[in-house]
Amino acid sequence: MKAQSKLYFYLIISAVLLIIIAVLSLNTGVYDFGENSPFRALWQLIKEDPGLSLSDKYVIWDVRAARIIMAILVGSMLSVSGTSLQGLFKNPLATGDLIGLTSGATLLAAIAIVLGGHFKEYLPEAVQFSLVGIAAFIGSFLSMMLVYRISTSGGKTNVVMMLLTGVAITAIGFSITGFLIYISKDEQLRDLTFWNLGSLAAATWPKNIILAIVITIAYIILLPKGKALNAMMLGEKDAQHLGINVERLKKQIIITVALMVGTCVAFSGTIGFVGLIVPYILRLLFKSNYVFILPLSAMCGSILLLTADTFSRSIVAPSELPIGILTALMGGPIFIAILVKFKKSL
C-alpha cells in the first residue's frame, strides 16, 4: 500500500471512530426526552418538524450538538499545535501548555475579565465583543515570542532553556492570575475558575463558527508542512540545503500555533496535555513521519477531547467534571513515560 493510500485509510478509520463517539456523546446527558430520543429529536429538527418541543430543540442543538462540534474543533487544534511545535523544536515535550503558551493566553484573558470593565467602553464595539478572545491570542503570541527569543541563540533553539522559560512564564502567569482571583468579584471569579479548569459548557454556534474559521486558516498553513518538519529533524542546516526556508517556517508555525492556542483558551479555558498525548501515541505508530502525524493528529485530537468531554458529563452526573482535570490525569503518566524514555537514551 502506497504511503498516501495508507494515510487516507487511517484518516477514514479515524473519521468513522469520531462519528461513532459523536453519536454516543449526543445520546449522553441527564435531560429526559420522554418518549422521544436524542436521535429522533435531531431528525425532527433537520426536517423542521413543528411537533418538536422548544426544550428538546434547545438541548439537542444548542447544548449537545454545539458542544460536540466545539470538542472536535478545540481537540483538533490543540493536538496539531502540539505536534507542530514538537516538529519545529525537535522535542516531544514542546507543547503549548508546557512552554507557557496556555499560561500566557490564560493570564491576558484573566486580565480582560477582571480589569476589562475599566477600559472596555473606550474600545470599538467589535473589539469589546471579542475582548477576551483577542487578549488570549495576544497572551499566547507574546509568550511564544518570549520563549523563542530566550531559548534561541545563533539560530539554534536550546530545548532545556525553552522548557525552563515555559516554567517561568507559567509561574508568573499563575501568580498574577492568583492576584486577579483575589481582587475579583463573584461573577468574575466564576469566569476565572472556568478558564483555569477548562470546560466546553459555554459552547455556542457563533463560537464554533469562529473556531471553524481559525482552524481552516491554520490548517491551510500547517498541514502541508509535514515534509518540511521531516527535514527539520535532520537539523536546520540540512533542512536549508534541502530547500526549506527555516526562518519563514518558524515564523509561520509560531504565529499560527499562537492563534490556535489563544482561540482555544478564549473559548474553552485551560485544557492541558492534549498536544502531548496525541503526538506521543502517533509517534509510537509512525515514528517521526510528520506527513502522517500532522493530519492524523488533527483527527485523533478531536477523538481524545470528545471522549474526555463525554466522560466529564457522565462521571458525576448531573454535575460536570472540568475537562482539564481529565486531560491532566491522562497526560501526566504519558509525560512521565516520555521523561523515562529520555533518561534511558542519555
Side-chain angles (χ1 to χ4, degrees), residues 188-341:
Q188 295 169 344
L189 183 60
R190 284 194 295 270
D191 290 338
L192 288 172
T193 303
F194 160 78
W195 296 116
N196 287 326
L197 295 179
S199 174
L200 300 174
T204 62
W205 287 109
K207 290 179 181 178
N208 285 340
I209 291 172
I210 295 172
L211 285 169
I213 293 171
V214 171
I215 201 173
T216 300
I217 295 171
Y219 284 8
I220 288 173
I221 296 171
L222 291 181
L223 292 187
K225 303 296 185 202
K227 291 183 179 179
L229 290 176
N230 284 346
M232 287 291 289
M233 296 299 293
L234 302 173
E236 292 186 11
K237 289 185 178 180
D238 289 333
Q240 286 176 334
H241 288 313
L242 292 172
I244 305 299
N245 189 331
V246 174
E247 289 305 314
R248 183 184 177 189
L249 178 68
K250 287 179 180 179
K251 290 176 182 177
Q252 286 179 336
I253 291 178
I254 287 171
I255 293 173
T256 307
V257 167
L259 174 64
M260 289 196 295
V261 172
T263 308
C264 290
V265 171
F267 292 153
S268 61
T270 306
I271 301 176
F273 290 101
V274 176
L276 182 76
I277 299 170
V278 175
Y280 175 75
I281 294 172
L282 290 175
R283 269 193 299 272
L284 292 177
L285 299 173
F286 303 105
K287 304 301 179 185
S288 293
N289 186 354
Y290 285 92
V291 173
F292 277 77
I293 293 176
L294 265 179
L296 284 174
S297 66
M299 296 296 297
C300 294
S302 298
I303 292 171
L304 174 66
L305 195 62
L306 182 56
T307 302
D309 185 56
T310 304
F311 275 108
S312 75
R313 293 191 287 118
S314 56
I315 291 176
V316 291
S319 299
E320 178 184 322
L321 188 69
I323 194 170
I325 294 175
L326 283 179
T327 56
L329 282 173
M330 289 186 287
I334 289 181
F335 184 70
I336 293 172
I338 293 174
L339 292 177
V340 170
K341 186 177 180 180

Side-chain angles (χ1 to χ4, degrees), residues 171-183:
I172 295 170
F174 178 78
S175 63
I176 299 176
T177 303
F179 174 72
L180 292 171
I181 290 173
Y182 177 74
I183 65 172

